[in-house]
Amino acid sequence: MVRLLFVMLLLLALPAHALSIAMVLWRGETAAEESFRAELTRLGYQATITTYNADQDRNTLATLLRQQMLPKLDEYDYIYTFGTTATAMAKSLIANRKPLIFNAVSDPVGAGFLSEDKSQNRMVAGVSNMVPMTLQLANASRYLSTDKRLLLPFNPREQNTLLIADILLNEAKHYQWRVATWRIAPDPRRLDNELKRLQQDAKNDIVFLATDSYLLSIAPRLLNALNAASIPTICSAELFVEHGCTVGTISSYESLGKMAAGIIHRHQQGAQLQDIPLQTDANPRLIMNSFEQPDVDIRR
């Protein structure tokens, strides 16, 4: 017993393992990054994190990465990225020189971040926030009319939207939902006119909000416009739910952050990144904002 207590005290006295991480963000820190930091600490790491925040501007992000991150690349143990845009730019620039841990990327294979050939993933692993489309539509069909058309706002600069559109078209057939895409100009100067146009064009529809970087960046105004026009919405991102999406089946940002930290821990323990499978939230939550019914678990 004395020996066991001595070992426990010795372990508690050991210093935290130091890590240096570059954190590349598109729209500032979210609950995922807070959870990521907390989980690293819980796992025994003392992480020094340098944040590069694009503030939703591609030119800003490119400048930050080229002028500030790349000159210090040798100092970092890992590059953490959040979202498709930040991941794409960071991965292109670091070119497999540092382990990249991505978070909240809907389809990393389709986006070209992960290969189906594991041997190509020696320097990359990550977490997807994608909720299976079948589950999203199954949940939504219980509360929204399948007689209406699904309208998908389409940002031509966002590859994720293209991928989600193909999946949505295929899965919606099982619920007799018709699907149409709606091109939105990803230009803040045109946002007021675009929202008015969307209110008019979608007045008899259900709007499906994909996890698109631009749509997420305008979430408060986008949802205000749709809700003001009584246009129901389906979404799979927590930020959309926070601003009043009608029906959402979402991955918890807290869970996403923990899983990203867990990847680093497994790598530090000796696992190869190529052997760590893509992480996803096994328990996405159904949230309803426009119904008085309780938040029930209808996963299947």
Side-chain angles (χ1 to χ4, degrees):
M1 178 62 72
V2 173
R3 183 178 180 182
L4 178 60
L5 288 173
F6 175 77
V7 171
M8 292 176 65
L9 289 171
L10 182 62
L11 289 174
L12 289 173
L14 289 174
H17 184 68
L19 290 175
S20 179
I21 300 172
M23 180 176 279
V24 182
L25 308 176
W26 175 246
R27 55 184 172 88
E29 291 204 15
T30 70
E33 284 70 56
E34 181 181 354
S35 175
F36 174 74
R37 294 173 187 269
E39 184 68 2
L40 284 177
T41 299
R42 189 190 71 80
L43 291 169
Y45 299 96
Q46 184 176 31
T48 299
I49 297 178
T50 304
T51 301
Y52 300 95
N53 176 27
D55 199 21
Q56 303 172 17
D57 186 288
R58 289 173 182 268
N59 291 330
T60 297
L61 182 57
T63 300
L64 285 173
L65 297 182
R66 290 183 184 277
Q67 296 185 5
Q68 297 186 30
M69 188 186 79
L70 284 183
K72 299 193 296 184
L73 191 61
D74 289 343
E75 299 176 14
Y76 299 121
D77 299 302
Y78 296 94
I79 311 298
Y80 167 100
T81 60
F82 183 93
T84 301
T85 302
T87 302
M89 295 185 73
K91 189 173 190 301
S92 175
L93 287 173
I94 66 174
N96 290 329
R97 285 177 285 173
K98 287 290 178 177
L100 186 147
I101 311 300
F102 62 80
N103 199 353
V105 172
S106 295
D107 186 353
V109 175
F113 306 148
L114 280 182
S115 171
E116 293 181 351
D117 177 0
K118 288 201 317 178
S119 67
Q120 302 298 312
N121 301 329
R122 293 183 303 103
M123 297 294 282
V124 61
V127 182
S128 173
N129 61 328
M130 175 65 83
V131 175
M133 187 64 72
T134 299
L135 179 59
Q136 293 184 53
L137 296 184
N139 286 352
S141 68
R142 297 189 178 200
Y143 304 100
L144 299 177
S145 172
T146 55
D147 293 331
K148 291 189 173 186
R149 181 180 66 168
L150 294 184
L151 191 68
L152 177 71
F154 174 79
N155 171 9
R157 294 182 184 174
E158 178 61 69
Q159 188 173 9
N160 266 353
T161 308
L162 292 169
L163 300 168
I164 292 171
D166 288 339
I167 300 171
L168 179 61
L169 283 166
N170 289 328
E171 292 295 333
K173 297 174 184 177
H174 301 301
Y175 301 92
Q176 288 72 55
W177 258 318
R178 294 168 294 120
V179 177
T181 57
W182 188 89
R183 189 184 182 96
I184 184 170
D187 184 346
R189 296 168 297 181
R190 298 172 57 181
L191 182 55
D192 287 340
N193 288 334
E194 291 291 84
L195 293 179
K196 290 176 182 177
R197 187 167 66 92
L198 180 58
Q199 285 178 321
Q200 179 62 33
D201 292 351
K203 61 184 178 181
N204 297 314
D205 298 327
I206 298 167
V207 172
F208 188 99
L209 297 175
T211 52
D212 171 290
S213 296
Y214 178 66
L215 297 183
L216 287 164
S217 74
I218 62 170
R221 293 173 66 183
L222 175 61
L223 268 302
N224 281 342
L226 292 170
N227 290 336
S230 300
I231 297 170
T233 48
I234 302 171
C235 62
S236 60
E238 191 167 350
L239 186 62
F240 289 138
V241 170
E242 291 172 3
H243 291 286
C245 173
T246 309
V247 180
T249 307
I250 64 170
S251 296
S252 160
Y253 275 9
E254 181 181 358
S255 296
L256 299 182
K258 285 183 177 180
M259 287 187 285
I263 291 173
I264 289 178
H265 181 58
R266 291 173 66 176
H267 187 239
Q268 287 288 309
Q269 295 295 306
Q272 299 298 309
L273 290 182
Q274 66 190 47
D275 294 326
I276 300 176
L278 179 67
Q279 305 292 293
T280 59
D281 187 350
N283 298 296
R285 296 175 295 142
L286 167 64
I287 304 293
M288 295 170 289
N289 278 315
S290 294
F291 300 88
E292 295 182 357
Q293 302 172 23
D295 177 15
V296 293
D297 181 356
I298 59 171
R299 296 188 300 272
R300 58 181 180 180

